[in-house]
mmCIF file of all heavy atoms in Angstrom:
data_model
loop_
_atom_site.group_PDB
_atom_site.id
_atom_site.type_symbol
_atom_site.label_atom_id
_atom_site.label_comp_id
_atom_site.label_asym_id
_atom_site.label_seq_id
_atom_site.Cartn_x
_atom_site.Cartn_y
_atom_site.Cartn_z
ATOM 1 N N SER O 1 16.071 -21.028 0.168
ATOM 2 C CA SER O 1 15.628 -20.516 -1.141
ATOM 3 C C SER O 1 15.149 -19.079 -1.078
ATOM 4 O O SER O 1 14.947 -18.527 0.059
ATOM 5 C CB SER O 1 14.535 -21.410 -1.695
ATOM 6 O OG SER O 1 13.370 -21.342 -0.857
ATOM 7 N N PHE O 2 14.972 -18.466 -2.169
ATOM 8 C CA PHE O 2 14.430 -17.074 -2.240
ATOM 9 C C PHE O 2 13.088 -17.028 -1.542
ATOM 10 O O PHE O 2 12.757 -16.151 -0.759
ATOM 11 C CB PHE O 2 14.340 -16.619 -3.690
ATOM 12 C CG PHE O 2 13.770 -15.236 -3.894
ATOM 13 C CD1 PHE O 2 14.658 -14.160 -3.833
ATOM 14 C CD2 PHE O 2 12.449 -15.079 -4.052
ATOM 15 C CE1 PHE O 2 14.100 -12.866 -4.033
ATOM 16 C CE2 PHE O 2 11.934 -13.828 -4.247
ATOM 17 C CZ PHE O 2 12.738 -12.728 -4.183
ATOM 18 N N ARG O 3 12.242 -17.981 -1.878
ATOM 19 C CA ARG O 3 10.889 -17.994 -1.337
ATOM 20 C C ARG O 3 10.884 -18.184 0.195
ATOM 21 O O ARG O 3 10.119 -17.534 0.886
ATOM 22 C CB ARG O 3 10.104 -19.132 -1.958
ATOM 23 C CG ARG O 3 8.620 -19.157 -1.547
ATOM 24 C CD ARG O 3 7.887 -20.295 -2.329
ATOM 25 N NE ARG O 3 6.495 -20.306 -1.939
ATOM 26 C CZ ARG O 3 5.635 -21.168 -2.459
ATOM 27 N NH1 ARG O 3 6.058 -22.006 -3.424
ATOM 28 N NH2 ARG O 3 4.358 -21.136 -2.051
ATOM 29 N N LEU O 4 11.787 -19.022 0.693
ATOM 30 C CA LEU O 4 11.900 -19.291 2.124
ATOM 31 C C LEU O 4 12.280 -17.995 2.817
ATOM 32 O O LEU O 4 11.691 -17.630 3.900
ATOM 33 C CB LEU O 4 12.922 -20.359 2.382
ATOM 34 C CG LEU O 4 13.229 -20.607 3.858
ATOM 35 C CD1 LEU O 4 12.004 -21.087 4.687
ATOM 36 C CD2 LEU O 4 14.352 -21.656 4.032
ATOM 37 N N LEU O 5 13.272 -17.322 2.316
ATOM 38 C CA LEU O 5 13.789 -16.081 2.988
ATOM 39 C C LEU O 5 12.758 -14.974 2.962
ATOM 40 O O LEU O 5 12.567 -14.269 3.904
ATOM 41 C CB LEU O 5 15.082 -15.651 2.308
ATOM 42 C CG LEU O 5 16.275 -16.542 2.487
ATOM 43 C CD1 LEU O 5 17.500 -15.909 1.898
ATOM 44 C CD2 LEU O 5 16.539 -16.849 3.953
ATOM 45 N N VAL O 6 12.022 -14.897 1.807
ATOM 46 C CA VAL O 6 10.945 -13.839 1.705
ATOM 47 C C VAL O 6 9.832 -14.127 2.745
ATOM 48 O O VAL O 6 9.407 -13.225 3.471
ATOM 49 C CB VAL O 6 10.398 -13.774 0.278
ATOM 50 C CG1 VAL O 6 9.131 -12.885 0.245
ATOM 51 C CG2 VAL O 6 11.434 -13.221 -0.683
ATOM 52 N N ARG O 7 9.423 -15.418 2.812
ATOM 53 C CA ARG O 7 8.319 -15.774 3.764
ATOM 54 C C ARG O 7 8.849 -15.514 5.163
ATOM 55 O O ARG O 7 8.053 -14.991 6.008
ATOM 56 C CB ARG O 7 7.933 -17.229 3.536
ATOM 57 C CG ARG O 7 6.783 -17.618 4.427
ATOM 58 C CD ARG O 7 6.227 -19.030 4.104
ATOM 59 N NE ARG O 7 7.240 -20.020 4.330
ATOM 60 C CZ ARG O 7 7.847 -20.790 3.364
ATOM 61 N NH1 ARG O 7 7.577 -20.504 2.115
ATOM 62 N NH2 ARG O 7 8.745 -21.657 3.678
ATOM 63 N N SER O 8 10.116 -15.905 5.468
ATOM 64 C CA SER O 8 10.607 -15.719 6.828
ATOM 65 C C SER O 8 10.703 -14.254 7.204
ATOM 66 O O SER O 8 10.388 -13.795 8.292
ATOM 67 C CB SER O 8 11.965 -16.439 6.967
ATOM 68 O OG SER O 8 11.860 -17.790 6.719
ATOM 69 N N GLY O 9 11.226 -13.473 6.238
ATOM 70 C CA GLY O 9 11.351 -12.056 6.503
ATOM 71 C C GLY O 9 10.046 -11.357 6.773
ATOM 72 O O GLY O 9 9.980 -10.517 7.689
ATOM 73 N N PHE O 10 8.990 -11.700 6.037
ATOM 74 C CA PHE O 10 7.648 -11.100 6.270
ATOM 75 C C PHE O 10 7.136 -11.556 7.640
ATOM 76 O O PHE O 10 6.452 -10.718 8.336
ATOM 77 C CB PHE O 10 6.697 -11.417 5.161
ATOM 78 C CG PHE O 10 6.833 -10.518 3.971
ATOM 79 C CD1 PHE O 10 7.733 -10.797 2.940
ATOM 80 C CD2 PHE O 10 6.074 -9.361 3.911
ATOM 81 C CE1 PHE O 10 7.827 -9.961 1.878
ATOM 82 C CE2 PHE O 10 6.214 -8.542 2.802
ATOM 83 C CZ PHE O 10 7.052 -8.768 1.784
ATOM 84 N N ASN O 11 7.334 -12.805 7.993
ATOM 85 C CA ASN O 11 6.850 -13.266 9.265
ATOM 86 C C ASN O 11 7.594 -12.514 10.436
ATOM 87 O O ASN O 11 6.932 -12.138 11.416
ATOM 88 C CB ASN O 11 7.050 -14.762 9.393
ATOM 89 C CG ASN O 11 6.130 -15.543 8.593
ATOM 90 O OD1 ASN O 11 4.996 -15.109 8.224
ATOM 91 N ND2 ASN O 11 6.529 -16.765 8.170
ATOM 92 N N ILE O 12 8.897 -12.402 10.305
ATOM 93 C CA ILE O 12 9.664 -11.611 11.295
ATOM 94 C C ILE O 12 9.215 -10.195 11.390
ATOM 95 O O ILE O 12 9.009 -9.614 12.454
ATOM 96 C CB ILE O 12 11.152 -11.723 11.000
ATOM 97 C CG1 ILE O 12 11.646 -13.221 11.143
ATOM 98 C CG2 ILE O 12 11.958 -10.798 11.910
ATOM 99 C CD1 ILE O 12 13.043 -13.385 10.582
ATOM 100 N N GLY O 13 9.000 -9.582 10.184
ATOM 101 C CA GLY O 13 8.556 -8.215 10.147
ATOM 102 C C GLY O 13 7.197 -8.000 10.762
ATOM 103 O O GLY O 13 6.984 -6.987 11.452
ATOM 104 N N ARG O 14 6.276 -8.973 10.627
ATOM 105 C CA ARG O 14 4.963 -8.790 11.226
ATOM 106 C C ARG O 14 5.116 -8.801 12.700
ATOM 107 O O ARG O 14 4.296 -8.102 13.424
ATOM 108 C CB ARG O 14 4.030 -9.940 10.713
ATOM 109 C CG ARG O 14 3.659 -9.860 9.284
ATOM 110 C CD ARG O 14 2.584 -10.857 8.940
ATOM 111 N NE ARG O 14 2.341 -10.899 7.489
ATOM 112 C CZ ARG O 14 2.882 -11.790 6.661
ATOM 113 N NH1 ARG O 14 3.681 -12.790 7.182
ATOM 114 N NH2 ARG O 14 2.629 -11.805 5.403
ATOM 115 N N ASP O 15 5.995 -9.632 13.262
ATOM 116 C CA ASP O 15 6.134 -9.686 14.743
ATOM 117 C C ASP O 15 6.804 -8.355 15.230
ATOM 118 O O ASP O 15 6.596 -7.993 16.377
ATOM 119 C CB ASP O 15 7.037 -10.858 15.110
ATOM 120 C CG ASP O 15 6.319 -12.184 14.873
ATOM 121 O OD1 ASP O 15 5.142 -12.170 14.934
ATOM 122 O OD2 ASP O 15 7.020 -13.203 14.754
ATOM 123 N N MET O 16 7.565 -7.736 14.389
ATOM 124 C CA MET O 16 8.316 -6.521 14.823
ATOM 125 C C MET O 16 7.502 -5.236 14.702
ATOM 126 O O MET O 16 7.649 -4.259 15.433
ATOM 127 C CB MET O 16 9.601 -6.319 14.046
ATOM 128 C CG MET O 16 10.629 -7.415 14.213
ATOM 129 S SD MET O 16 12.038 -7.170 13.168
ATOM 130 C CE MET O 16 12.583 -5.626 13.771
ATOM 131 N N MET O 17 6.606 -5.190 13.699
ATOM 132 C CA MET O 17 5.976 -3.879 13.353
ATOM 133 C C MET O 17 5.138 -3.337 14.490
ATOM 134 O O MET O 17 5.047 -2.123 14.658
ATOM 135 C CB MET O 17 5.165 -4.023 12.067
ATOM 136 C CG MET O 17 3.896 -4.938 12.183
ATOM 137 S SD MET O 17 2.938 -4.917 10.650
ATOM 138 C CE MET O 17 4.108 -5.557 9.457
ATOM 139 N N GLY O 18 4.474 -4.216 15.226
ATOM 140 C CA GLY O 18 3.611 -3.667 16.323
ATOM 141 C C GLY O 18 4.429 -2.940 17.364
ATOM 142 O O GLY O 18 4.091 -1.796 17.744
ATOM 143 N N THR O 19 5.484 -3.569 17.882
ATOM 144 C CA THR O 19 6.273 -2.943 18.897
ATOM 145 C C THR O 19 7.059 -1.784 18.416
ATOM 146 O O THR O 19 7.211 -0.785 19.151
ATOM 147 C CB THR O 19 7.215 -3.998 19.485
ATOM 148 O OG1 THR O 19 8.058 -4.588 18.460
ATOM 149 C CG2 THR O 19 6.480 -5.088 20.233
ATOM 150 N N MET O 20 7.553 -1.805 17.118
ATOM 151 C CA MET O 20 8.311 -0.723 16.666
ATOM 152 C C MET O 20 7.436 0.543 16.348
ATOM 153 O O MET O 20 7.826 1.652 16.654
ATOM 154 C CB MET O 20 9.055 -1.105 15.346
ATOM 155 C CG MET O 20 10.169 -2.114 15.526
ATOM 156 S SD MET O 20 11.312 -1.604 16.835
ATOM 157 C CE MET O 20 11.922 -0.035 16.204
ATOM 158 N N ALA O 21 6.199 0.305 15.909
ATOM 159 C CA ALA O 21 5.304 1.442 15.711
ATOM 160 C C ALA O 21 4.939 1.991 17.068
ATOM 161 O O ALA O 21 4.906 3.239 17.234
ATOM 162 C CB ALA O 21 3.998 0.967 15.042
ATOM 163 N N ASN O 22 4.737 1.187 18.088
ATOM 164 C CA ASN O 22 4.513 1.703 19.440
ATOM 165 C C ASN O 22 5.708 2.474 19.942
ATOM 166 O O ASN O 22 5.522 3.514 20.671
ATOM 167 C CB ASN O 22 4.223 0.568 20.436
ATOM 168 C CG ASN O 22 2.777 0.091 20.337
ATOM 169 O OD1 ASN O 22 1.893 0.838 19.898
ATOM 170 N ND2 ASN O 22 2.554 -1.117 20.725
ATOM 171 N N THR O 23 6.879 2.054 19.589
ATOM 172 C CA THR O 23 8.151 2.766 20.040
ATOM 173 C C THR O 23 8.144 4.201 19.562
ATOM 174 O O THR O 23 8.367 5.181 20.334
ATOM 175 C CB THR O 23 9.377 2.057 19.525
ATOM 176 O OG1 THR O 23 9.408 0.762 20.104
ATOM 177 C CG2 THR O 23 10.640 2.825 19.932
ATOM 178 N N LEU O 24 7.820 4.389 18.272
ATOM 179 C CA LEU O 24 7.791 5.765 17.722
ATOM 180 C C LEU O 24 6.629 6.594 18.324
ATOM 181 O O LEU O 24 6.841 7.768 18.696
ATOM 182 C CB LEU O 24 7.645 5.714 16.187
ATOM 183 C CG LEU O 24 8.945 5.337 15.410
ATOM 184 C CD1 LEU O 24 8.651 5.336 13.949
ATOM 185 C CD2 LEU O 24 10.010 6.398 15.685
ATOM 186 N N VAL O 25 5.434 6.022 18.366
ATOM 187 C CA VAL O 25 4.288 6.773 18.865
ATOM 188 C C VAL O 25 4.495 7.174 20.352
ATOM 189 O O VAL O 25 4.294 8.358 20.671
ATOM 190 C CB VAL O 25 3.008 5.902 18.685
ATOM 191 C CG1 VAL O 25 1.848 6.607 19.430
ATOM 192 C CG2 VAL O 25 2.686 5.729 17.248
ATOM 193 N N LEU O 26 4.965 6.266 21.185
ATOM 194 C CA LEU O 26 5.094 6.536 22.546
ATOM 195 C C LEU O 26 6.287 7.526 22.745
ATOM 196 O O LEU O 26 6.276 8.370 23.655
ATOM 197 C CB LEU O 26 5.414 5.241 23.335
ATOM 198 C CG LEU O 26 4.195 4.278 23.422
ATOM 199 C CD1 LEU O 26 4.614 3.021 24.132
ATOM 200 C CD2 LEU O 26 2.984 4.954 24.090
ATOM 201 N N ALA O 27 7.344 7.434 21.929
ATOM 202 C CA ALA O 27 8.460 8.362 22.045
ATOM 203 C C ALA O 27 7.996 9.810 21.783
ATOM 204 O O ALA O 27 8.373 10.683 22.489
ATOM 205 C CB ALA O 27 9.573 7.971 21.067
ATOM 206 N N TYR O 28 7.167 9.978 20.683
ATOM 207 C CA TYR O 28 6.741 11.338 20.362
ATOM 208 C C TYR O 28 5.729 11.813 21.403
ATOM 209 O O TYR O 28 5.743 13.014 21.770
ATOM 210 C CB TYR O 28 6.134 11.333 19.003
ATOM 211 C CG TYR O 28 7.113 11.183 17.880
ATOM 212 C CD1 TYR O 28 7.010 10.216 16.878
ATOM 213 C CD2 TYR O 28 8.233 12.033 17.808
ATOM 214 C CE1 TYR O 28 7.917 10.075 15.869
ATOM 215 C CE2 TYR O 28 9.209 11.906 16.810
ATOM 216 C CZ TYR O 28 9.045 10.949 15.812
ATOM 217 O OH TYR O 28 9.955 10.826 14.853
ATOM 218 N N ILE O 29 4.822 10.970 21.887
ATOM 219 C CA ILE O 29 3.912 11.409 22.916
ATOM 220 C C ILE O 29 4.644 11.760 24.188
ATOM 221 O O ILE O 29 4.377 12.776 24.826
ATOM 222 C CB ILE O 29 2.883 10.286 23.200
ATOM 223 C CG1 ILE O 29 1.963 10.065 22.010
ATOM 224 C CG2 ILE O 29 2.011 10.618 24.487
ATOM 225 C CD1 ILE O 29 0.982 8.908 22.169
ATOM 226 N N GLY O 30 5.622 10.971 24.569
ATOM 227 C CA GLY O 30 6.395 11.287 25.808
ATOM 228 C C GLY O 30 7.172 12.547 25.658
ATOM 229 O O GLY O 30 7.195 13.355 26.637
ATOM 230 N N SER O 31 7.716 12.861 24.526
ATOM 231 C CA SER O 31 8.516 14.112 24.365
ATOM 232 C C SER O 31 7.626 15.297 24.362
ATOM 233 O O SER O 31 8.101 16.405 24.729
ATOM 234 C CB SER O 31 9.328 14.037 23.040
ATOM 235 O OG SER O 31 8.425 13.999 21.938
ATOM 236 N N ALA O 32 6.347 15.244 23.983
ATOM 237 C CA ALA O 32 5.479 16.362 23.939
ATOM 238 C C ALA O 32 4.375 16.260 24.981
ATOM 239 O O ALA O 32 3.274 16.890 24.803
ATOM 240 C CB ALA O 32 4.866 16.474 22.533
ATOM 241 N N LEU O 33 4.539 15.477 26.043
ATOM 242 C CA LEU O 33 3.468 15.209 26.984
ATOM 243 C C LEU O 33 3.002 16.518 27.661
ATOM 244 O O LEU O 33 1.797 16.702 27.800
ATOM 245 C CB LEU O 33 3.917 14.194 28.013
ATOM 246 C CG LEU O 33 2.849 13.714 29.035
ATOM 247 C CD1 LEU O 33 1.694 13.132 28.255
ATOM 248 C CD2 LEU O 33 3.454 12.722 29.997
ATOM 249 N N SER O 34 3.910 17.363 28.097
ATOM 250 C CA SER O 34 3.462 18.653 28.760
ATOM 251 C C SER O 34 2.629 19.473 27.807
ATOM 252 O O SER O 34 1.637 20.050 28.292
ATOM 253 C CB SER O 34 4.704 19.389 29.223
ATOM 254 O OG SER O 34 5.485 18.682 30.204
ATOM 255 N N MET O 35 3.043 19.584 26.563
ATOM 256 C CA MET O 35 2.261 20.365 25.656
ATOM 257 C C MET O 35 0.933 19.742 25.397
ATOM 258 O O MET O 35 -0.110 20.476 25.302
ATOM 259 C CB MET O 35 3.048 20.449 24.321
ATOM 260 C CG MET O 35 2.321 21.246 23.245
ATOM 261 S SD MET O 35 3.153 21.106 21.653
ATOM 262 C CE MET O 35 2.870 19.399 21.270
ATOM 263 N N VAL O 36 0.816 18.424 25.263
ATOM 264 C CA VAL O 36 -0.414 17.769 25.034
ATOM 265 C C VAL O 36 -1.331 17.957 26.220
ATOM 266 O O VAL O 36 -2.590 18.242 26.044
ATOM 267 C CB VAL O 36 -0.237 16.249 24.767
ATOM 268 C CG1 VAL O 36 -1.487 15.495 24.722
ATOM 269 C CG2 VAL O 36 0.548 16.047 23.465
ATOM 270 N N LEU O 37 -0.821 17.826 27.462
ATOM 271 C CA LEU O 37 -1.644 18.063 28.631
ATOM 272 C C LEU O 37 -2.230 19.471 28.670
ATOM 273 O O LEU O 37 -3.400 19.697 28.938
ATOM 274 C CB LEU O 37 -0.848 17.777 29.878
ATOM 275 C CG LEU O 37 -0.497 16.347 30.184
ATOM 276 C CD1 LEU O 37 0.477 16.190 31.331
ATOM 277 C CD2 LEU O 37 -1.748 15.465 30.415
ATOM 278 N N LEU O 38 -1.374 20.452 28.394
ATOM 279 C CA LEU O 38 -1.770 21.845 28.430
ATOM 280 C C LEU O 38 -2.853 22.158 27.416
ATOM 281 O O LEU O 38 -3.878 22.761 27.650
ATOM 282 C CB LEU O 38 -0.589 22.753 28.207
ATOM 283 C CG LEU O 38 -0.851 24.263 28.150
ATOM 284 C CD1 LEU O 38 -1.421 24.741 29.493
ATOM 285 C CD2 LEU O 38 0.404 25.056 27.810
ATOM 286 N N LEU O 39 -2.598 21.688 26.168
ATOM 287 C CA LEU O 39 -3.605 21.933 25.096
ATOM 288 C C LEU O 39 -4.900 21.169 25.336
ATOM 289 O O LEU O 39 -5.965 21.714 25.037
ATOM 290 C CB LEU O 39 -3.006 21.511 23.774
ATOM 291 C CG LEU O 39 -1.815 22.385 23.286
ATOM 292 C CD1 LEU O 39 -1.287 21.860 21.958
ATOM 293 C CD2 LEU O 39 -2.234 23.792 23.108
ATOM 294 N N SER O 40 -4.781 19.970 25.891
ATOM 295 C CA SER O 40 -5.992 19.186 26.223
ATOM 296 C C SER O 40 -6.853 19.874 27.275
ATOM 297 O O SER O 40 -8.093 19.874 27.156
ATOM 298 C CB SER O 40 -5.701 17.802 26.641
ATOM 299 O OG SER O 40 -4.943 17.114 25.646
ATOM 300 N N ALA O 41 -6.162 20.484 28.217
ATOM 301 C CA ALA O 41 -6.927 21.162 29.291
ATOM 302 C C ALA O 41 -7.556 22.481 28.812
ATOM 303 O O ALA O 41 -8.586 22.896 29.354
ATOM 304 C CB ALA O 41 -5.947 21.462 30.505
ATOM 305 N N SER O 42 -6.944 23.112 27.864
ATOM 306 C CA SER O 42 -7.408 24.422 27.479
ATOM 307 C C SER O 42 -8.233 24.421 26.167
ATOM 308 O O SER O 42 -8.789 25.462 25.797
ATOM 309 C CB SER O 42 -6.190 25.427 27.260
ATOM 310 O OG SER O 42 -5.332 24.916 26.297
ATOM 311 N N ALA O 43 -8.257 23.287 25.475
ATOM 312 C CA ALA O 43 -8.939 23.281 24.205
ATOM 313 C C ALA O 43 -10.471 23.318 24.394
ATOM 314 O O ALA O 43 -11.012 22.769 25.368
ATOM 315 C CB ALA O 43 -8.583 21.979 23.429
ATOM 316 N N ASP O 44 -11.147 24.062 23.524
ATOM 317 C CA ASP O 44 -12.584 24.171 23.582
ATOM 318 C C ASP O 44 -13.331 22.901 23.080
ATOM 319 O O ASP O 44 -14.445 22.607 23.479
ATOM 320 C CB ASP O 44 -13.110 25.392 22.839
ATOM 321 C CG ASP O 44 -12.538 26.721 23.411
ATOM 322 O OD1 ASP O 44 -12.395 26.754 24.624
ATOM 323 O OD2 ASP O 44 -12.275 27.662 22.638
ATOM 324 N N SER O 45 -12.634 22.216 22.138
ATOM 325 C CA SER O 45 -13.253 20.992 21.589
ATOM 326 C C SER O 45 -12.123 20.060 21.105
ATOM 327 O O SER O 45 -11.008 20.547 20.834
ATOM 328 C CB SER O 45 -14.185 21.370 20.479
ATOM 329 O OG SER O 45 -13.445 21.872 19.354
ATOM 330 N N ILE O 46 -12.464 18.785 21.004
ATOM 331 C CA ILE O 46 -11.493 17.805 20.424
ATOM 332 C C ILE O 46 -11.199 18.205 18.959
ATOM 333 O O ILE O 46 -10.051 18.045 18.528
ATOM 334 C CB ILE O 46 -12.129 16.426 20.488
ATOM 335 C CG1 ILE O 46 -12.273 15.997 21.924
ATOM 336 C CG2 ILE O 46 -11.230 15.436 19.756
ATOM 337 C CD1 ILE O 46 -10.975 15.896 22.725
#
């Protein structure tokens, strides 16, 4: 039914959102890691 598919879709989405959000965050951090390290070492404050 419509209700069954909506409930199942949201349950599946909840299981996926954590890992997929981590995928994007870690991908961007990894691509800019050298820059982040340099700026972190030279920054006067957070």
Side-chain angles (χ1 to χ4, degrees):
S1 62
F2 178 89
R3 184 176 180 180
L4 172 64
L5 293 184
V6 169
R7 185 172 65 249
S8 300
F10 275 90
N11 288 336
I12 295 169
R14 291 189 188 98
D15 290 337
M16 296 176 61
M17 66 175 60
T19 55
M20 291 308 302
N22 278 336
T23 298
L24 282 179
V25 172
L26 294 176
Y28 288 128
I29 292 176
S31 64
L33 186 57
S34 298
M35 179 188 68
V36 172
L37 290 173
L38 178 62
L39 293 178
S40 299
S42 60
D44 297 328
S45 68
I46 295 296

